[in-house]
Amino acid sequence: MTPEEREKALSQLPPARRAQIEQRLQNFEKLPPAVQERRLDRLERLNSLPPKRRNEVRRSMNQLQNLPDDRKRAINQELRRMSVMPDDERQAYMNTEEFRNRFSPDEQRMVGNLAEILPPKE
């Protein structure tokens, strides 16, 4: 988006919402390019999902943020580990006793939803 397009889009928002989005954009722009690219890729994957699945994944993202720090850390580590697996290997892994013993049913569902927006590995 050009600066002019961004300004036009932001000018149509209520002041509080505009300030919130501007802050998020500033935070994003401070990230290293590789991190920005990964986040944009995940956003594209999220937006390519059917609306119902997209809402489920968003709900899981919100649930993850509300978990205690130790559980949030465990799930993020698991997602990083799974990010190097091909999709079929991820699915097989999530059906193992090891995985099921480490995470509650709600956490398993959360990981499964969030794994949908991980980059595909071949």
Side-chain angles (χ1 to χ4, degrees):
M1 193 178 270
T2 68
E4 294 79 24
E5 291 170 328
R6 180 186 287 184
E7 179 57 35
K8 183 179 178 186
L10 291 172
S11 71
Q12 298 172 11
L13 298 173
R17 181 72 175 135
R18 177 184 175 135
Q20 181 185 43
I21 290 175
E22 286 175 333
Q23 183 62 52
R24 291 179 81 182
L25 288 168
Q26 288 172 4
N27 291 341
F28 178 80
E29 290 169 350
K30 291 177 186 174
L31 296 171
V35 174
Q36 287 182 13
E37 190 173 323
R38 280 194 306 272
R39 290 200 178 169
L40 288 173
D41 182 59
R42 280 195 305 255
L43 182 60
E44 274 184 43
R45 290 180 186 293
L46 178 64
N47 287 331
S48 72
L49 294 173
K52 184 178 179 193
R53 285 299 303 143
R54 185 173 36 230
N55 289 336
E56 290 172 13
V57 172
R58 281 192 175 125
R59 192 171 17 264
S60 290
M61 294 168 125
N62 290 332
Q63 290 170 338
L64 176 63
Q65 294 308 310
N66 293 322
L67 288 177
D69 286 343
D70 63 325
R71 297 312 301 156
K72 192 183 311 185
R73 203 171 16 262
I75 288 174
N76 282 323
Q77 285 176 329
E78 196 65 40
L79 289 167
R80 276 192 297 280
R81 188 170 117 171
M82 291 170 63
S83 72
V84 299
M85 297 177 186
D87 287 341
D88 57 342
E89 191 176 321
R90 286 179 196 158
Q91 287 302 317
Y93 174 69
M94 287 190 290
N95 289 320
T96 65
E97 276 302 307
E98 174 190 359
F99 180 80
R100 287 195 301 266
N101 288 336
R102 289 185 61 213
F103 299 100
S104 72
D106 285 341
E107 291 172 338
Q108 292 172 39
R109 191 172 20 265
M110 201 180 309
V111 171
N113 286 338
L114 296 172
E116 279 199 52
I117 58 172
L118 291 174
K121 296 293 177 186
E122 316 224 344

